[in-house]
Amino acid sequence: MRIAQVAPVWYPVPPHGYGGIELVVSLLADGFADRGHEVTLFASGGSRTRARLVSPLPDPPDPALLGNPWFESAHALGAYLHAEEFDVVHDHSGIVGPA
């Protein structure tokens, strides 16, 4: 199966010293890849994964800008422009991505 995992843009995957959504996305992406699926992880620059990594934004935005819809939209759009390449798009980026 061809799976796209879309992480929130704000922190690299897996996060350092933080166990939120980014940790869940990391575990899912690596777990699916380990089981033989073709996984693409859309995550911030600096992320590490056993899946294919695509970073629509090369660096995570400044945390002081957390919630800025421009960064979230640019990141999610980078994934959704390739949606036809996947059987499943598993989006963890929040409300902006699906909207």
Side-chain angles (χ1 to χ4, degrees), residues 9 57 68-80 96-97:
V9 69
L57 299 176
N68 181 311
W70 186 91
F71 293 106
E72 292 177 351
S73 298
H75 179 72
L77 185 60
Y80 280 96
V96 174

Side-chain angles (χ1 to χ4, degrees), residues 5 8 20 29 32 38-39 42-43 46 55 57 61-62 75 77 82 93-94:
Q5 289 283 332
F32 289 143
E38 294 178 35
V39 182
F42 291 87
S55 297
L57 299 176
D62 182 339
H75 179 72
L77 185 60
H82 298 278
S93 66

Side-chain angles (χ1 to χ4, degrees), residues 8 15 18 20 23 28 35 40 45 52 68 74-75 85 90:
Y18 169 70
L23 180 58
L28 285 169
R35 284 159 183 78
T40 300
R52 180 174 77 101
N68 181 311
H75 179 72
E85 299 171 17
H90 197 182

Side-chain angles (χ1 to χ4, degrees), residues 2-81:
R2 298 170 302 155
I3 302 170
Q5 289 283 332
V6 185
V9 69
W10 302 102
Y11 300 100
V13 172
H16 302 287
Y18 169 70
I21 295 169
E22 294 82 3
L23 180 58
V24 171
V25 173
S26 175
L27 294 171
L28 285 169
D30 289 348
F32 289 143
D34 289 346
R35 284 159 183 78
H37 297 286
E38 294 178 35
V39 182
T40 300
L41 173 61
F42 291 87
S44 293
S47 295
R48 298 178 327 275
T49 183
R50 291 190 288 277
R52 180 174 77 101
L53 177 63
V54 175
S55 297
L57 299 176
D59 297 307
D62 182 339
L65 300 172
L66 187 69
N68 181 311
W70 186 91
F71 293 106
E72 292 177 351
S73 298
H75 179 72
L77 185 60
Y80 280 96
L81 286 174

